[in-house]
Every structure is written in structure tokens, then in C-alpha cells.
Amino acid sequence: MRDRLAAPEPVVRATARARGTVVVVTGLVGAGKSTLLSSWARDLHSSGHGVGWASLQDEDDDPLALQDLVLGALHDALPPLARQQLAELDLLSDGATTPERELELVLRVAETVRWSEAPVWLMLDDAQIVQSAGAVHALDLLLQWAPANLHIVLAARSDPRVSLGRLRMQERLVEIRDAELRLDEAETAQLLAGEGLDLSGEQVRRLWKLTEGWVASVALAAMTLRSGRDVEGVLDGFGSDGGLWFLIEEVLRELPEDTHAFLLDTCLPDRLSSEMAELLSGRDDAGRLLHHLADTNSLVSVTGGEDRSYRYHTLLRGYLVARLADLSGQRSRAQHLRIAQFLHARGDDGGALDHAIASRDRATLITLLHDGGLRLLLEGQHAVVDRAVAHVLEGLRDEQPRRRFLHVLAAVVALDAGDLPRAEAHLEAAGGRGPASAPSAVSPARLDRLTAVVWLYRDRLRGELDPSVVDTVLGAASRVGSPSDPGQADLRVFEHLTAGIALLWLGRFDEGVAVLESVIVDADVRGHEFVVMTCAAALSTAHTALGTFAEMRQWAEYALDYAAARGWASSPRLLPAYVSAAGTAYGALDPDGAAELIGVAEAILDGRTAAPDAPTGAQGVVVAPEVVRSVRAMRSFVDFDRAAAQPGEQRHIVRARHEEVLRLACGRFSQTLVAYELAEHHRMALACGEIDVARATLELADRLLGDRGETEVLAAQLAARLDREQEARHLLQRALASPERVSVVYVRVIALLLEAALAHRNGQPTVAHTALLEGLATARRLGSVRLVLEVAPEIFELLVEGRGRFGAEEDFVEHVIESALTAGTTDDAVHRYAGSRGPAAAPVLTPRELSLLQDLPSMLTVPELARARAVSPNTVKTQLRSLFAKLGVGNRREAVAAGRREGLI
């Protein structure tokens, strides 16, 4: 057992009052009480204490029998001389049990033990046997007059019938309850390992939760597993396995028949209030009985303060539910129906639906789904709605509008799980996009609005957004519906949520943010938790596009934390938050953190992680094309970064991703997303020397972005990479002529930093510093260290040399420098300040040197290489000397060989 259940020690205050300590250990059958007492007895005996042990039987519930039992146990615990004195105490053997003689016996036993002086422990197991008035009185006398060196341990299934209150007041009582006897997870694992069972950590945790640490049930489960049965099968069947129920029967055997009936009547709810117990049992004393059971039987537990509720142990509830079904299936269904009606009246439609399904009452199910089905989905209770809809649709042949409503609800469940084919099947079964026909219990107007917004949701996942449809849905949401229609408020939240997210993918970011920020406040007030998580994730994407990265980080972190606390960490709705969080880590030079986050996103996207309440059999998920692109693109960025020491691998990553980048021309994506992805892909292509890929990316940008500043910035990067600096500066001046020409903030920072680098190369320190300062201010707001370091190698040199001249950006500059040195960034400028990377590292080449190296296998002459670069032959010769020195070679042939070894060619 645990260290805190080590052998007890005498209570100091009891000893000071010349009284012995009393220890009461209570717990269920099989809770480990006897095992604990045996362990204590061994420890106490080895410490030199006297230990006497007695296990009570039914016949010991008698004063004379109890006297003999106690004297026999004490005889074993006392020294030889004290044993002789004790043997002479036989005052009640003639059967005359007057109060005076009982007290005289107890006093003489106490005097004998006191005279022995040695500490003595009397352990009485199964003390619940003592029930008769005479036996209880005899035991009470012994407890009351126990001397300071006599300590009595009572182990029982419930509190023994002795004066525990008086012992507490005397500060002599130590109480160990069932909760302290329960095994914790580590002890459960230890017990299973001791039985030779090799279970995974998750399997151990699951078994521990199912048994709730009840020692006997863990031991029985271990015995079952030792027989060779499948672990998952045993765990799945736990609580419905009759092989474990004899434990429950042992516990119930001690309870009155009317209590058995009460437990059967009240076993179906997971949580039971006094009011519900009265309804189900018909007993007006149900609350008092539950309180008594919780006090005396640890298979019933209580939670909460004034608004308390009760729950039955997993095994007890499993036994009772099966027993109730065996006695009468009709009685069981009737109880489920009463519970459903009770919960519905109190606003718990999720719990009500579960019990309505079990009751098989179709009318109640339809009413619950009509009144609260959409609200439950907004709260995140997809699984129960999905089960209820499937149950009602099976065999429903009348009321077409009602059937349509159910299919539309099922489509929402499927869409939230990313199961687009299943969603479309339900939408088609609902009659497509057409309006509702005949009136019914489901409001046709509300049904038409719900159908329209679900189709909009579907269109977004298909990448087929129609702006006019989005505006129509927003317009419908703004209209005030009938106050008597209970679903109007829920429908408006769903409309605003779906349309708000659609606005983001149409590039209408400011509108989308305004709608979603309004929705998240309303949803939080209404308890629509799934909506809160979805809005937060979407807002992280919106602020990425708007360039407000501080808000992006806050919303992404909030969404991930909020989802994790509610078991929704694998929801497809959370994918934008994972991408945003990965982007934050990527920008902060934390490629491992970014890889972990984007790995989770990929697992959700590929169906390797179960989405919350995902329909059975779902193989992967379908989300909006923009989300898919974001996940795949971020993976390529992260992999490229992690392959920094492997130029060959970086080139492979860029080439492999390029085919997917070209598909941007085939979709309807926001220009912000297009510009960001093209800019990053273009940068990676230039960094690893894939000039042809960079040119193709620039051509695609010209087609998709047109005459925008973003295209000019990409063209300037390519020109600078090819040493056409005058052309690069001209392009940059055009792009930076007015801020609105470069609407993507990320690309504007690239333009400013590149301008600073080119000005520095041309001996214009004032121009360089001004551009650098403006670029740093924006980069700081973006929170991107990486962006500052990757535009050009001169930037790091400018940061180091300009320390003290950056004003409000000084702290950010120091953070960038420190981050670069800590992360081991591979730019040549960094290494001049950070020291060599060591002999095992690949050489660090400037972009010009890398381009020159990749042209050497062509066998072009030096003048031809110079003409291709629009520089003089002497410049090429200077670059060759630097290249040869870095590669550690002496000629062109050796340089080509070294470049191939390093993966640079």
C-alpha cells in the first residue's frame, strides 16, 4: 500500500490523556482492509510492539464470545507474565453478564495491559459483525477504558456501531476510509506488472478509471487477463461482465430489500440528484437515503455542495442496469423516458437525448431534436445528436419536413467531422437546396434558413464559395424571428459563424473579423462552446492575413487551450489554429515546435487522429481547400528549415512542393493566401539555388496577383539573387512607392529589408538604416525573427554594427541577434560573429557563390560566366577565389566534386 498507509503510530494527545489510540479502517469487500492490517501487524511486530489479531465471525456478535475472542488476541500480544495474569480473568464464564461485572472485567484487562508497559496493538477484522446491543456495549467499554499503551484497530465494511463521536472529541480516533484504500494509477500498474501482465500506459489508465482503484476488481481483472483474453475486449466489456459481479452481490447482501429496490429504480442516470431519485423511486426520503448510502457505502459517492449529486460506482451501476433489464425491459425503458423528460425540463437536452434513445420513444426524440438539436451541436455534443438522428430516421416514413430537418442536422454533424461525402448524402436526402414545402412542427422558414447555411458550409469545404450566398445568409441572420420559436437564437449564431468564416476565405477579412468577434461573445454567453473554439481558430487565421500577429498568436493559443480542456484537440475545426501556432513557432526559429504542431494538424487532416464525435468509419477528413493548402505549405516551410544543413534535401523539398504551388492557379483562393505562399516558396527556391523554380514562381505570381507590389518584390528578390542590383532597387522603389501596393504585410517587410541590404551594398548607410528601421518595426509586430534573418545576409551585420541606433526597436534587435546565435542560423554574416560551425558542417556560401558553383559543371568560361551575370570577369575571378577557399579546394574540378558531395549541386 502507499507510504501514507504505513503502520499507525499512537496519537500524541490520546497518550497524554492516558488513553489508547483507536484506528478505524472502513472499505468495501475486497478493498484491501485485511491486507493492510496484515502489513501493519508485520511492521509493528518487527518494531518490538505486541500485536494481537482476531477476525470476527457471526457467532462473535455476543458479549461472551467477544470476550473470549479479545482475551485470546491479547494473550498473543502480551509478555509471558502479563499473559498469566490475563488467563486468570474469566469473570463472565458463568454467563452472568451484569453491567458491573462487564466493567470490572474491562478495568482488570486494562490494568493488566498497562502493567505490561509494552505497546500493544489489538486488531479486530470484520468489526461490522458487532451489531447486538450487548456486544456493542462490551466493545465500547474496551475502547473507552483502553490504557495509553493499548491501541485498537477496527476494520469494517462500514462504520462499526461504537461511539466514534466520543472518540473524535477525545482526539483518540484515526480514520482511514475507502478512498484512501483505493489504488492510484501507479499502484494499479504495479499490481498488474506483478501479475506478469504487460499493458500499455493507456490500457492501465483505462482499467484504473473503470475499477476506480477498487483492489478486488483490479485483481479480478488481472486474473481474467491472465487467462489469455484480449485486453481491449476485457476493457470494453468491463462492468457488464458477470464474472465481476459477485463482488457487488456481496456488498448488496448487507443492505435491506427496500434499499435494493431503490438502487434498481435509480441506477440509470450517470449522475443522480435527490429530486430525480424521488421521481424515479417514488420515495420522498430519497435524498436522505442517498446521503446515508454515500456515508456508509463507498460504491455511492457525492459531489457538489448545496446542489449535490450522487453517482454509483461503475461496477455497481453496470450490475444494477443489467439486473433491471433482466427483470423488465419495459420497466427499464419507462425509467429512461422519465429521466429524459426530467432532464429536458431542466435544460439538459444532451443527457435527455441519450435516455430518450434508450427509451425508444420516437416522439420524445423528435421533440428534443427539434427544440435543441442545433444548440447541442453548437455546444459540441455531436455524438449524441448523431445517434438520435440515426435512431429516428430509421423507419420514419411520414412528415417530409420533419425528415428534412433531421437530415440537415445529420449533415452538420458530418461537416464538423470533415466527412463531406456523408454530409452531401444527407443534404441530397433532405431534398437539395429547394425550400420547405408543407408546414409542420418544424418551422418552414427556419428550416429553409438552416438548409441554406448548411449548404454554404458544404460549399466552403468544396472551395465553391459564392459571395452572393454569403451575403444572403448574413442578411437572413439579421432579421428578427418569432420569439416563440426556440431555435431562432441558435440559428442566428450558426449563420453568423458560417458566414463569418466564409468571408475570411473570400478575402473580406475586416468584415469576417467583425462578424466572428460578435459571434464569439454571444456564443460564450449562451454556452455554445464548440462555436467559441471554432471562432477563436478562425480569428487566428484572419489576423495572420491582416498582419496583426500578436492577435493571431493570442487567438491560436486560446483556441488550442480551450479545445484541449474539452477533449476537442483533434477537431478539424481547430486546424487553422494549429497552422497559426506552427507559423508562430516557425517565425520564432523553433522548427521542432513548429513540426510538432503541424504534425498534429496533418494527423487530423489525414484521419489518423479521431475528430470529436467523428462518424464511425470516417477515413480522413475534408476541410476547406485553403486550410489544406495552409497545412501542406507550412509542412514544406518547416521541413525546409529543418534541412538547413542538407542543401540537397532542401532542393528536393522545393521541387516536390512546386507542383502543388502551381495548382494555386486552379483554385479560388484569397490573394493574401496566394501572395504569402508564393513569397515563401520563392524565398526557399532562391535560398537553395533553384533559380528556375524561382522564375516559374514569379511567372505564376504575375498571372495570379497581376500588377501588385507583391509581384514586384518577388521580382526584386530574383534580380538581387542574380546580381542585377540596379534592377532590384528599381522594382523595390516601385513596390514601396505607396503602402497599399503591398497589402500583404509579410511581403512588405521583405521589401524593406531587401532595400536596406542593397543600399548597404551600394554605400548608402542612411537609406539602409531608414529602410531597416521601418522593416524592423513591422517585423516586431509580426513577431517574426526568421523573416529578419532570411532576406539577406547583410541584415545581421547591419543589426550588430548598428546596436544602440535602433531606438524603440533596440530590444527587438537584441532578441533577433540572440535568437540567431542560439539557433545557429547558417547565414555567413552570423558566423562571422558566432564562430565556426565546425569541420563536420557544410560550407556557408553567399547566394552569389552558390549560383556560381551551380554553373561550374556547365564548363562556361570565366568571360561567359561574367556576361551571364552582367559583371566583369575580374569580379567572377574574385568570387571563384572565395568559393574555392570556402570549399577547401584548389581548382574548378575539385569545386564541382565538393559541391556534389555537400549536396549543393
Side-chain angles (χ1 to χ4, degrees):
M1 299 302 291
R2 282 161 260 183
D3 291 341
R4 61 189 174 88
L5 296 184
E9 297 181 357
V11 176
V12 173
R13 295 202 178 189
T15 305
R17 294 174 180 174
R19 290 290 187 267
T21 298
V22 178
V23 181
V24 172
V25 181
T26 56
L28 295 173
V29 176
K33 301 183 297 296
S34 299
T35 303
L36 178 63
L37 264 61
S38 295
S39 172
W40 284 355
R42 287 193 301 271
D43 292 347
L44 292 167
H45 185 74
S46 63
S47 299
H49 294 213
V51 179
W53 177 292
S55 294
L56 279 70
Q57 306 293 329
D58 289 342
E59 57 270 19
D60 295 319
D61 188 21
D62 174 84
L64 292 176
L66 188 59
Q67 166 205 323
D68 291 340
L69 193 74
V70 169
L71 291 177
L74 286 175
H75 181 274
D76 296 336
L78 292 171
L81 191 55
R83 290 180 188 175
Q84 182 178 350
Q85 292 181 338
L86 194 66
E88 300 172 359
L89 301 178
D90 195 15
L91 301 183
L92 303 183
S93 59
D94 59 0
T97 58
T98 64
E100 293 78 9
R101 295 188 67 187
E102 286 182 349
L103 178 58
E104 182 184 355
L105 174 62
V106 168
L107 292 175
R108 292 183 62 182
V109 168
E111 184 60 31
T112 301
V113 175
R114 183 184 298 110
W115 177 82
S116 71
E117 295 185 352
V120 174
W121 292 84
L122 174 62
M123 298 192 173
L124 301 179
D125 199 4
D126 286 325
Q128 74 278 353
I129 293 293
V130 179
Q131 294 288 322
S132 68
V136 170
H137 177 67
L139 185 55
D140 250 337
L141 284 175
L142 179 62
L143 297 175
Q144 182 59 28
W145 293 102
N149 62 328
L150 175 58
H151 314 294
I152 302 173
V153 180
L154 303 176
R157 297 181 185 178
S158 58
D159 280 352
R161 293 185 59 190
V162 293
S163 303
L164 296 181
R166 180 171 58 189
L167 294 170
R168 288 191 192 99
M169 291 181 62
Q170 295 172 347
E171 298 181 279
R172 298 172 56 199
L173 185 63
V174 175
E175 299 177 80
I176 296 176
R177 300 298 182 181
D178 183 81
E180 296 170 277
L181 295 172
R182 301 279 177 103
L183 300 176
D184 60 22
E185 187 176 343
E187 290 167 337
T188 300
Q190 186 179 2
L191 188 153
L192 295 170
E195 295 291 337
L197 297 169
D198 184 18
L199 273 65
S200 69
E202 182 55 38
Q203 289 170 334
V204 170
R205 185 173 301 109
R206 190 176 167 198
L207 179 60
W208 172 64
K209 289 181 177 179
L210 288 169
T211 60
E212 300 181 31
W214 188 5
V215 177
S217 59
V218 175
L220 280 172
M223 183 174 66
T224 304
L225 292 170
R226 278 205 315 273
S227 67
R229 288 179 57 183
D230 173 62
V231 176
E232 293 298 328
V234 170
L235 295 176
D236 289 341
F238 200 89
S240 60
D241 188 344
L244 299 173
W245 285 347
F246 82 90
L247 289 170
I248 302 299
E249 290 168 348
E250 281 291 314
V251 174
L252 296 180
R253 188 174 293 122
E254 301 176 7
L255 300 177
E257 283 299 321
D258 63 335
T259 304
H260 284 196
F262 174 82
L263 291 171
L264 281 172
D265 285 335
T266 57
C267 66
L268 295 177
D270 291 329
R271 294 278 176 180
L272 185 66
S273 66
S274 298
E275 188 180 4
M276 187 188 295
E278 288 182 14
L279 172 70
L280 296 175
S281 67
R283 293 180 58 154
D284 57 9
D285 65 341
R288 289 194 299 274
L289 181 53
L290 281 171
H291 184 72
H292 173 72
L293 287 169
D295 274 350
T296 59
N297 191 314
S298 59
L299 287 182
V300 180
S301 56
V302 60
T303 59
E306 293 182 5
D307 188 23
R308 65 177 57 189
S309 64
Y310 300 84
R311 62 175 295 274
Y312 297 160
H313 188 285
T314 304
L315 278 178
L316 174 62
R317 184 165 177 263
Y319 172 86
L320 292 170
V321 169
R323 179 71 175 147
L324 181 62
D326 288 343
L327 289 173
S328 171
Q330 185 176 359
R331 178 183 172 189
S332 176
R333 290 192 295 275
Q335 290 289 63
H336 276 298
L337 181 58
R338 295 172 77 182
I339 297 167
Q341 294 166 343
F342 178 91
L343 294 174
H344 175 55
R346 284 152 184 80
D348 182 6
D349 282 349
L353 267 183
D354 258 333
H355 287 284
I357 293 169
S359 76
R360 305 180 191 175
D361 189 285
R362 191 183 301 273
T364 300
L365 275 173
I366 292 175
T367 299
L368 291 172
L369 288 169
H370 172 262
D371 291 351
L374 180 58
R375 183 176 69 255
L376 291 174
L377 295 181
L378 299 179
E379 293 172 358
Q381 300 191 54
H382 294 70
V384 65
V385 173
D386 199 31
R387 290 195 302 271
V389 169
H391 189 84
V392 175
L393 283 175
E394 185 179 355
L396 183 66
R397 290 179 173 80
D398 56 355
E399 292 218 40
Q400 182 60 29
R402 204 183 288 270
R403 169 183 286 279
R404 186 182 190 203
F405 174 73
L406 295 172
H407 276 297
V408 172
L409 274 187
V412 179
V413 174
L415 289 169
D416 278 340
D419 191 344
L420 187 55
R422 183 171 181 256
E424 291 176 333
H426 278 294
L427 286 171
E428 290 304 325
R433 296 179 187 262
S437 53
S440 74
V442 182
S443 163
R446 179 157 68 92
L447 180 53
D448 288 346
R449 285 171 58 185
L450 178 61
T451 303
V453 72
V454 176
W455 272 105
L456 174 60
Y457 190 171
R458 173 264 182 199
D459 292 345
R460 184 171 67 80
L461 298 196
R462 280 291 184 202
E464 301 170 356
L465 280 177
D466 182 341
S468 65
V469 174
V470 178
D471 292 332
T472 299
V473 169
L474 282 172
S478 66
R479 292 195 292 272
V480 178
S482 169
S484 62
D485 189 339
Q488 282 291 337
D490 299 330
L491 179 57
R492 278 197 297 274
V493 169
F494 187 45
E495 287 171 325
H496 279 121
L497 171 69
T498 307
I501 294 174
L503 287 171
L504 301 184
W505 300 122
L506 289 173
R508 294 159 60 179
F509 298 108
D510 290 327
E511 293 176 74
V513 168
V515 171
L516 292 174
E517 287 182 344
S518 173
V519 171
I520 199 170
V521 172
D522 191 24
D524 191 37
V525 170
R526 295 179 179 277
H528 295 162
E529 295 185 335
F530 197 71
V531 175
V532 172
M533 178 200 74
T534 304
C535 280
L539 284 167
S540 72
T541 294
H543 285 288
T544 302
L546 291 170
T548 46
F549 275 48
E551 289 83 354
M552 177 272 285
R553 289 193 298 275
Q554 291 170 0
W555 281 119
E557 291 171 2
Y558 179 80
L560 294 177
D561 292 343
Y562 192 90
R566 290 158 178 80
W568 297 334
S570 59
S571 169
R573 291 277 208 165
L574 203 58
L575 283 169
Y578 279 112
V579 175
S580 298
T584 298
Y586 175 70
L589 298 181
D590 180 13
D592 292 336
E596 181 179 354
L597 286 162
I598 209 64
V600 175
E602 287 176 318
I604 296 171
L605 199 59
D606 298 339
R608 289 179 279 122
T609 301
D613 309 324
T616 303
Q619 300 295 319
V621 298
V622 178
V623 296
E626 297 88 349
V627 176
V628 177
R629 288 209 67 87
S630 299
V631 173
R632 302 307 187 205
M634 184 57 67
R635 167 52 70 186
S636 72
F637 304 161
V638 171
D639 286 349
F640 184 88
D641 184 57
R642 299 178 87 190
Q646 303 168 279
E649 177 62 20
Q650 286 188 324
R651 296 174 69 186
H652 171 75
I653 291 168
V654 168
R655 289 194 298 267
R657 178 66 187 168
H658 189 62
E659 289 300 319
E660 185 58 37
V661 170
L662 293 176
R663 292 194 182 97
L664 281 168
C666 305
R668 297 172 58 183
F669 303 107
S670 71
Q671 291 205 317
T672 301
L673 182 146
V674 171
Y676 179 82
E677 185 171 347
L678 289 178
E680 191 66 6
H681 185 67
H682 184 69
R683 179 196 66 78
M684 293 191 304
L686 293 175
C688 67
E690 287 289 335
I691 304 300
D692 289 341
V693 172
R695 286 194 178 103
T697 304
L698 179 58
E699 291 173 4
L700 183 61
D702 190 50
R703 287 168 51 198
L704 299 181
L705 301 176
D707 186 26
R708 286 171 51 124
E710 285 84 0
T711 305
E712 293 164 350
V713 174
L714 266 60
Q717 286 181 285
L718 178 60
R721 176 68 172 76
L722 297 176
D723 295 328
R724 301 200 295 265
E725 294 182 1
Q726 186 174 357
E727 177 188 345
R729 294 200 70 184
H730 175 69
L731 288 164
L732 288 174
Q733 287 168 2
R734 284 184 56 194
L736 294 172
S738 55
E740 63 272 10
R741 296 207 70 246
V742 186
S743 59
V744 179
V745 180
Y746 177 86
V747 181
R748 183 169 180 79
V749 175
I750 294 175
L752 289 165
L753 295 177
L754 184 57
E755 170 70 8
L758 294 177
H760 176 66
R761 293 178 192 175
N762 285 275
Q764 298 175 287
T766 301
V767 174
H769 187 74
T770 300
L772 178 60
L773 200 58
E774 186 178 351
L776 287 172
T778 308
R780 174 179 55 77
R781 291 196 296 273
L782 297 181
S784 181
V785 173
R786 178 180 304 283
L787 187 56
V788 176
L789 294 169
E790 289 184 339
V791 171
E794 292 87 352
I795 297 298
F796 184 82
E797 186 173 341
L798 286 171
L799 295 179
V800 174
E801 292 178 352
R803 279 172 163 167
R805 298 177 54 224
F806 294 108
E809 310 307 326
E810 199 69 51
D811 288 344
F812 180 62
V813 168
E814 290 301 321
H815 175 59
V816 171
I817 294 172
E818 181 63 28
S819 297
L821 298 177
T822 302
T825 303
T826 58
D827 288 333
D828 194 33
V830 174
H831 292 297
R832 286 201 293 274
Y833 291 91
S836 172
R837 300 193 318 170
V844 179
L845 306 181
T846 67
R848 295 186 189 87
E849 292 165 347
L850 182 60
S851 174
L852 183 60
L853 173 63
Q854 291 167 353
D855 282 342
L856 292 185
S858 67
M859 301 307 294
L860 293 171
T861 64
V862 168
E864 289 171 333
L865 290 170
R867 281 196 299 274
R869 286 163 170 72
V871 297
S872 70
N874 286 334
T875 299
V876 172
K877 290 177 182 178
T878 300
Q879 292 173 351
L880 282 173
R881 283 194 296 272
S882 174
L883 175 63
F884 292 170
K886 288 185 178 181
L887 293 175
V889 299
N891 56 52
R892 183 170 178 164
R893 180 180 59 79
E894 291 175 353
V896 171
R900 285 173 175 159
R901 280 197 309 272
E902 297 290 351
L904 301 175
I905 299 177

